[in-house]
Structure formats: structure tokens, C-alpha cells
Amino acid sequence: MNTLEGTVERITFFNEENSYAVAKVRLSSGELVTVTGELPHLYVGEKLRLTGQWVEHKEYGKQFQVHIRESEIPTTEKGIERFLASGFVKGVRSATAKKLVARFGVSALDVIENDPERVAEIPGISLAKAQKMAQHIKAYSDIQRIIVFLQGIGIGPGYAMKIYRRYQGEAVALVRENPYRLADDIIGIGFKKADQIAQNLGIQPDSPYRIRAALRYLMNELCNEGHIFVDEHILTDAAVKELAVGELPVAAEIERLIVEKEFIREFHNGRSILYLAPFYYCETGVAARLAELARARLKPVTIDAMKALDRFSAEHRIQLAPNQREAVLKSLDNGLMVITGGPGTGKTTIVKAILSLLKKAGLRSALAAPTGRAAKRLAEATGEPAQTIHRLLGFGSEKADGGRFRHNESEPLDAEVLIVDEFSMVDLMLFYHLLKAIAPGTRLIMVGDVDQLPSVGPGTVLRDLIASGQITAVRLNVIFRQSRESMIVENAHRINRGEFPQLVKSKDFFFMPEEKPENIVQLLPDLISRRIPGYLHCDPVEDIQVLAPMRRTLTGVDHLNQVLQEALNPKQPETLEFRYGSQVFRLGDKVMQVKNNYQKLVFNGDIGRIRELDPEERRLVVGFQEVEGERLVEYEEDEVDQLVLSYAISVHKSQGNEYPVVVMPVTTQHFLMLQRNLLYTAVTRAKKMVVLIGTKKAIAIAVNNNRIEERNSLLQKRLISAFQGEA
């Protein structure tokens, strides 16, 4: 390793996402050298001590590759001004830095840190802003010390900043004790990265810390695929292969995790299976709670249901099909009810009819759906208030309420009937929390399309409820006359039956043949920005959603978002924007939350628009649509990685949402993801128009691939046992 000391003269390149930089540094000898590496908060004029090695780049020649960086706190007026203007102290840019140095000279940093009231005397700087500046200066020396230690064990400065924010001054001690905690606590550091760090710290390959961390990692990887449990031998084999250790130490740590109640073991059909404890308690809890609700005495419906239903039909001038009438009447007599059916089969009409009859019977009803958009659509369709399930349960932020649901067994919901729409989106964990808040004697009516993709979260709840045969279920199979006139509805049902869709000319379903993916990419901007809005008089951003089967590939989500951003929200001289890693966020951009954030009460898949953006503070505000209207949520710089552009999204992320127009590239590039229920789900997301662009071959592959995603779950079996009174 070599060591250099010098001053940053120019920053040639910087990547916000991973802090990788290329810079010119002037050495004390006067030589100008190129340095590369992870160098967050680098600024022109910064004095550095760098440890690393010289490498020869085939294109750019001799460079110094940095492994460890140490920064000196500046002592000259010019150095202090450059430091303050570097962006490390949020809210301070060149003009403010000049004012601070002009007022306080070489004492500026000391005054900012220890006497923010004096700083607030400068016009344009509030006391709150001055105090925030003081916090950043105080953190600087701690951060430098921690960064040096973490770099020494293989953690780049970008992650070092995240680790500092999580652990503050205890970072060094906590990481030394157990580096595997980073995999649980720091987004972006998974088990494999933590394992490399542990090796650099001298942690032994058969360390219990290492084996337990690997087992948690592998269990979570499998559960992220939707599984509720894992076969023990599969987990053991995977751990042995991942860690290159014997079976005995792995088996010993599995036993310890079972003793510590992190894992639960059961035996099923001669197989030993393992659950993450929360999944086990949710699965057994769902079965037990549903059995309890099914046995509870219901408040009687004291009206003539047949006459009331006839009156509803007359008032709304509709003729209900026999199974539609059956669904309404059974919902009055049963504590648990599932109503399923495809598009155009009248699920919303049935919900309105049920609500009408229950209101006449004097029963208090509540409506809910998994997402804000779905809840808003439900409220608009029924004319009754609706909420997201999280809102209904009174979910509180982690800061305000410890991230708990207010409604549970101790404080159940005040409703005699609960109707949950878009139920195919509900995963096992959320369903368990919902059931805990439903008092015995409450009617629970679950409405959804069982033929859609399963929930993003673990389990196949709707499928298991129906397959168990223990819960009254009605499948709507008659398509309303008005819906039969829609080629969207017609083709959705054809696809679901395994028939090739009709690609004849129609007013709401279009197929644009195109063999080459690059031509599809060229067609999309004009189609979405001009042609469809001109035809339907709709908004190209709010009303048109591009869906893609995959994230990667030329016609995948990631690339299409870049293309569509330039078409729908291009860079203008006055446009506010900032770059975060490979993404550029602009004022007005359509974005999606990709991680559950229980503090902000926004969840994976929520879509909004950037309403405010501050390039200097590197913060933005996103407006998310909810039943009550748009709710504004603020994101600081280190939270922006929770957002992605959403002009194009995956079909999985579209579940539960409805869009006036859906545009979907369907090419053999997406071969791995082309399956019937994926195409069916995409088509059923559209209300007014579907446009498929691609090849008939790709459509045929999807229609003929009826592979149902299998997920490990024993909910169906547990339901049968619970309802039959077995242990």
C-alpha cells in the first residue's frame, strides 16, 4: 500500500448512489494525480491523506486507487469556505459559505458548532437552520473516525455513512462485536457483504454468529419468494454450500434458533419443516381466528332479504344473475364469505347490493382495500367511506406509536360487517393482523379475483381460503351485457381460459405487432405522450401506465422509465432536479415507493408524484393519493433510495390498482416471466384501453403457460383442522 497527501483540485466524476469518484489531487510536490474510489462528500480544496495502490487503466493511464481516506479539518478561510460549500453541511452553498467566513473568519467552524445563535444573526439564516448546521459540524469528526475504521475492514465510505447514521458513536464497537448485525440493520449490506467484513475482522468460518446469520439470510431469501415455510433439509444443504462448513455445526445452530424461538419446527407428511416464528404464528393464528369467527353468533338480519334485493335491482335497473343473487343472500347468512370473479362479472355491483341490504337491516359496515388507490376506487364505486387496511386498523408510525396496530383483540373494530376488496393482494401477515381486530359476531366479506397473481407478500391466502372448502365462496361467472361489449373483458376471460385473445380492431383493445425490442422502445414515447392522449383525451402521466413483465432487458421497467421520463417530463432550463445514483428525479416525476416505510406510512407499490424538490437540500416531497385526497410525504437524501421512477412498473407491482390505460410490451425477451396469470393480471388492470406491443408468439407463450406459482403453505390444511375442531 502507498500513501499520498494532497489537495483536491477537480472532481471529474461522482456517483451519488455508491459514492464512487474520480478526482484530480495536487500533491505537495506539485504533481497532479488521478485518484479513484468511494469518496463521499469530496470537495474541491479538501486536504486528504490517502492510502491505496497505483493501477494502470488501459484507457486513462496511471491512477491511484483509494482504499482508505483521511480528511483534515480545514484551518484557512479559503479551506473553510470550500468545506462549507461542499454540500456536507446541508442547506449551505457558496453564497452562505462566503457570508459565514466573512463574518467569523477562521473561527467559522467553531462558531457554527458551539454558538449557533450568533450564526442566526446573519440575514437569511434562521436559528433552526443554524442549529441544524451545528449538528452536521459536530458529526464530522465522529464520521471521519468511523469511516477510517470501516474502510480498514472493507466497508466503503458510502455504507460507512449509513452505518454511522444507524449506530452513531457506537458504530465501531458494535461492528467489531458482531459484523453480521449489518445484514439486518443496514439496507444494501446483505449477508454476503457482512460475511466479507467478518472475514476481514478475523471471524472464524464456523463462528456461531456466521452460521446463524446465514440461516436467517437463507430463510428470508426463500420467504421472499412467497413461501411460508422451508424444508429443513433444503435449508441445511443451502447453508452447508453457502458457508463451506459441515452439517453438524449448521444443525447445532438450527437447534439454537429453535430454542430461542426464532425458528419453529414441525413435521408434515414425513418432512421436517421450518418456519420463521412470525410466519408460523400468523399461519396458525389465521386458521384459529377464522374458525372462531365462523362459529360466532351473528346479529340477525331482520329484513325480507329477497324483497330488498328485488327493490335494489329495480332501483338500479339491473337484472342480477342467479349466482350474483346467491352471493348477496349468502353474505347475510354467513360470518365468513368469499366472492371471486373476473372483470365484468359484477363484483362491485354485488358489494353495493350487500351494503344496501345491510344498511336497511341497521348493521354498521366498514370498507377496506390493501392500497390507497384501491380504497379510493372502492369509495367512489360504492358511495361509502373506504380506507386502506392499515388505516382501518389504526396503524401508527414507529416514531409515534411504535409501529403497532391500534385495533387488535383488546380494541376491536367498531363494525358489524367488514368488506375487503382486492383481496388477492392480501398476504398472510396483514390478514392475521386484520383478523385479530375483528370481533366475533362480525361478518367478514372478502372480494377478489383468485385467478390474478398471488400477493407480493408471503402466502396464497385467497387461493387457500377457497381451496379449503371451509368458507362459503361464490364464483361469479356471468359477464354483464355492458361488459361483454368490452374487448378488454372478453380478452381477459379468453386468456384466463387458455384461449388466444382476439386481436381484431376494437375501441378498447389494440395489438401493435413489432418484432424488434428497440423499435418498441422508439414507439412508446410518441404513443404515450401524443397518440393515446389525443384519442382518449386523457393525461399521459396520470392515466396511462406502462407495465412490463421484467425489470431488466431493453423493454424492461428500468430502461423504459428512463425513456419515458425524457418523453413525459424532459429536462428544461427551469426544471428542478437532482441525481441519485443512476436515477434523475425531477419535479413532477411519477415515482413509486419500493420498501415498506412504517414511519411515513407508505408501502411497497404506492405511486405518487414529486410535488416539491430542493436540489440544495437534496430532499423532495411526494404526493400520494388516498381516499381523503393527496397526502404529502417528505424524503431526506438518505431516504431517496426508497423511490424509483414509475412511468413503467412491473405487473406484480400493479396488483390492486386500476388504470384508464395499460400499455404493455410483450416480447420473447421476457420469456422467463411470460405466464397466463401475469398477462391476465396486466389486462385486468385497464379500465378503458389495453395496448399490447410485441409479437403474437410471445402472447401465445404466456397464454399457454399455466404454471401456477407454488408457495409452501399449510394454511389450507390448518383451516380444515381448525374448522373440524382438530388440534
Side-chain angles (χ1 to χ4, degrees):
M1 289 287 182
N2 300 299
T3 301
L4 301 179
E5 292 185 9
T7 304
V8 178
E9 191 158 296
R10 186 169 73 253
I11 300 169
T12 307
F13 172 80
F14 184 70
N15 185 322
E16 289 280 355
E17 192 168 290
N18 57 21
S19 298
Y20 180 81
V22 179
K24 296 290 186 181
V25 172
R26 180 76 65 181
L27 305 182
S28 52
S29 64
E31 182 185 0
L32 190 66
V33 300
T34 300
V35 302
T36 66
E38 289 186 52
L39 301 164
H41 300 297
L42 195 67
Y43 64 94
V44 173
E46 183 176 7
K47 288 188 176 181
L48 298 172
R49 178 183 173 87
L50 304 171
T51 302
Q53 59 189 7
W54 291 102
V55 296
E56 190 69 31
H57 193 282
K58 63 181 180 181
E59 186 175 348
Y60 300 112
K62 190 177 182 182
Q63 297 179 339
F64 190 76
Q65 198 173 76
V66 178
H67 293 281
I68 298 177
R69 160 202 178 174
E70 299 172 72
S71 299
E72 293 183 19
I73 294 178
T75 56
T76 66
E77 288 189 2
K78 188 65 176 174
I80 291 169
E81 183 183 318
R82 284 172 165 170
F83 169 70
L84 289 171
S86 68
F88 179 81
V89 182
K90 285 190 178 180
V92 177
R93 287 293 183 263
S94 182
T96 306
K98 286 181 186 295
K99 289 181 184 179
L100 289 163
V101 174
R103 174 70 69 93
F104 304 117
V106 294
S107 302
L109 296 180
D110 182 62
V111 173
I112 294 169
E113 181 176 355
N114 299 304
D115 201 355
E117 290 79 8
R118 289 179 63 192
V119 176
E121 294 171 2
I122 297 176
I125 301 179
S126 66
L127 179 58
K129 185 173 183 178
Q131 290 170 336
K132 198 170 185 180
M133 289 161 56
Q135 292 172 3
H136 286 293
I137 297 296
K138 286 174 182 174
Y140 186 75
S141 58
D142 270 353
I143 290 171
Q144 292 306 312
R145 175 178 59 84
I146 290 165
I147 282 178
V148 169
F149 163 72
L150 295 173
Q151 286 180 130
I153 58 171
I155 301 176
Y159 283 125
M161 293 297 296
K162 290 186 176 182
I163 292 168
Y164 170 76
R165 292 188 189 105
R166 180 69 171 83
Y167 303 132
Q168 298 294 309
E170 295 182 275
V172 173
L174 292 174
V175 173
R176 276 190 190 280
E177 178 196 2
N178 177 16
Y180 292 102
R181 72 192 313 142
L182 297 173
D184 296 325
D185 295 343
I186 308 299
I187 293 172
I189 297 185
F191 167 76
K192 295 191 176 183
K193 180 66 176 175
D195 200 31
Q196 291 174 2
I197 295 164
Q199 290 175 30
N200 293 335
L201 282 169
I203 303 291
Q204 293 300 306
D206 60 353
S207 161
Y209 279 138
R210 181 173 187 249
I211 297 173
R212 283 201 298 277
L215 288 167
R216 293 188 192 102
Y217 158 71
L218 292 167
M219 277 287 277
N220 278 297
E221 285 291 292
L222 290 163
C223 291
N224 285 341
E225 296 174 8
H227 299 301
I228 303 299
F229 66 82
V230 176
D231 283 76
E232 185 170 353
H233 77 89
I234 290 176
L235 180 66
T236 300
D237 291 347
V240 168
K241 183 178 179 181
E242 179 75 34
L243 300 171
V245 298
E247 285 190 21
L248 285 178
V250 170
E253 294 311 316
I254 288 176
E255 295 302 328
R256 180 176 294 190
L257 287 165
I258 291 171
V259 169
E260 293 174 355
K261 295 188 171 18
E262 284 194 53
F263 288 2
I264 304 290
R265 177 190 281 133
E266 277 204 344
F267 294 95
H268 174 64
N269 290 345
R271 301 150 59 197
S272 174
I273 61 176
L274 295 172
Y275 287 82
L276 288 169
F279 286 20
Y280 174 81
Y281 293 121
C282 284
E283 189 174 80
T284 55
V286 163
R289 294 290 296 182
L290 284 172
E292 183 183 4
L293 290 174
R295 296 184 185 114
R297 184 185 298 273
L298 300 175
K299 183 177 179 179
V301 175
T302 56
I303 60 171
D304 187 326
M306 296 292 285
K307 285 185 177 178
L309 189 54
D310 289 339
R311 194 174 302 116
F312 172 85
S313 298
E315 288 173 0
H316 292 82
R317 297 180 180 178
I318 57 174
Q319 183 66 43
L320 295 177
N323 66 350
Q324 292 169 331
R325 294 179 67 87
E326 176 192 6
V328 176
L329 296 173
K330 283 187 174 180
S331 70
L332 304 181
D333 297 332
N334 291 276
L336 298 172
M337 177 78 184
V338 170
I339 300 172
T340 187
T345 55
K347 293 190 296 294
T348 301
T349 300
I350 296 302
V351 171
K352 290 168 69 174
I354 292 169
L355 286 171
S356 173
L357 268 62
L358 292 173
K359 187 177 286 188
K360 285 182 171 62
L363 297 179
R364 299 187 311 280
S365 302
L367 299 176
T371 67
R373 286 173 180 259
K376 184 176 182 181
R377 192 171 67 248
L378 179 61
E380 290 170 348
T382 62
E384 299 290 337
Q387 297 175 278
T388 65
I389 295 174
H390 282 87
R391 291 276 183 190
L392 177 77
L393 297 179
F395 190 86
S397 72
E398 289 181 1
K399 288 180 180 176
D401 197 31
R404 293 186 297 271
F405 292 98
R406 180 166 60 86
H407 291 293
N408 50 36
E409 307 98 314
S410 303
E411 189 179 344
L413 294 166
D414 181 23
E416 293 166 312
V417 181
L418 174 60
I419 301 176
V420 183
D421 197 16
E422 293 290 357
F423 195 79
S424 63
M425 287 185 69
V426 176
D427 63 39
L428 183 74
M429 312 288 274
L430 184 57
F431 191 38
Y432 179 54
H433 287 294
L434 179 65
L435 289 174
K436 286 200 296 182
I438 299 175
T442 303
R443 289 171 170 83
L444 173 61
I445 301 166
M446 297 157 280
V447 183
D449 187 345
V450 73
D451 295 318
Q452 288 186 27
L453 290 169
S455 59
V456 175
T460 50
V461 175
L462 181 57
R463 192 190 305 169
D464 289 342
L465 294 182
I466 295 172
S468 73
Q470 304 304 305
I471 294 170
T472 302
V474 174
R475 178 183 278 269
L476 305 178
N477 52 23
V478 177
I479 303 173
F480 280 170
R481 180 183 58 79
Q482 301 94 316
S483 297
R484 284 200 303 270
E485 296 171 1
S486 165
M487 193 57 72
I488 295 174
V489 173
E490 171 66 23
N491 277 336
H493 286 278
R494 288 180 67 88
I495 291 166
N496 200 32
R497 293 193 299 265
E499 301 171 12
F500 195 84
Q502 293 186 24
L503 303 181
V504 297
K505 186 176 180 180
S506 70
K507 67 178 187 300
D508 65 356
F509 197 103
F510 297 87
F511 171 66
M512 299 176 65
E514 184 52 66
E515 291 280 344
K516 296 181 179 179
E518 56 268 30
N519 291 349
I520 295 175
V521 174
Q522 291 174 2
L523 278 169
L524 280 173
D526 183 58
L527 182 69
I528 290 165
S529 65
R530 186 183 65 84
R531 291 170 62 181
I532 294 175
Y535 179 74
L536 281 185
H537 305 291
C538 64
D539 184 279
V541 177
E542 291 292 337
D543 297 332
I544 303 174
Q545 184 62 61
V546 175
L547 303 181
M550 299 176 72
R551 296 207 63 82
R552 306 297 189 269
T553 76
L554 197 64
T555 53
V557 171
D558 295 341
H559 182 239
L560 291 181
N561 267 316
Q562 295 176 11
V563 172
L564 294 172
Q565 183 190 43
E566 290 308 312
L568 300 172
N569 192 20
K571 170 67 174 171
Q572 304 287 353
E574 71 281 1
T575 303
L576 294 175
E577 69 170 32
F578 71 75
R579 178 176 290 277
Y580 188 88
S582 60
Q583 291 196 110
V584 174
F585 291 104
R586 295 180 184 142
L587 189 65
D589 269 338
K590 187 176 180 181
V591 293
M592 180 171 62
Q593 178 82 12
V594 293
K595 298 181 180 74
N596 288 337
N597 188 318
Y598 296 102
Q599 292 184 350
K600 298 182 185 298
L601 298 181
V602 286
F603 303 96
N604 189 355
D606 287 352
I607 290 178
R609 298 285 293 274
I610 297 178
R611 299 305 187 192
E612 299 176 29
L613 187 147
D614 188 332
E616 287 200 357
E617 292 276 357
R618 297 186 64 76
R619 57 174 284 279
L620 49 82
V621 175
V622 178
F624 292 98
Q625 285 298 324
E626 297 192 354
V627 179
E628 303 82 7
E630 189 172 74
R631 182 170 69 94
L632 299 179
V633 178
E634 184 173 330
Y635 291 79
E636 296 292 338
E637 179 180 6
D638 61 347
E639 299 171 318
V640 175
D641 61 356
Q642 299 176 28
L643 298 170
V644 296
L645 295 174
S646 62
Y647 299 101
I649 64 174
S650 69
V651 179
H652 282 82
K653 295 287 189 184
S654 74
Q655 287 174 266
N657 290 312
E658 186 178 81
Y659 315 97
V661 182
V662 163
V663 178
M664 184 178 177
V666 188
T667 77
T668 51
Q669 271 196 331
H670 303 141
F671 180 84
L672 292 174
M673 293 297 292
L674 291 176
Q675 56 194 64
R676 186 184 300 173
N677 62 350
L678 183 137
L679 182 59
Y680 172 75
T681 300
V683 169
T684 58
R685 298 306 86 209
K687 189 175 181 180
K688 293 182 179 178
M689 180 186 290
V690 169
V691 180
L692 301 181
I693 312 177
T695 65
K696 291 182 179 180
K697 179 180 179 181
I699 295 173
I701 290 171
V703 170
N704 292 323
N705 180 8
N706 195 29
R707 178 177 59 85
I708 300 297
E709 182 181 337
E710 293 299 330
R711 295 180 170 187
N712 291 339
S713 167
L714 290 181
L715 180 58
Q716 181 181 335
K717 174 181 177 293
R718 294 189 194 280
L719 285 168
I720 294 170
S721 297
F723 275 70
Q724 293 177 0
E726 299 174 13

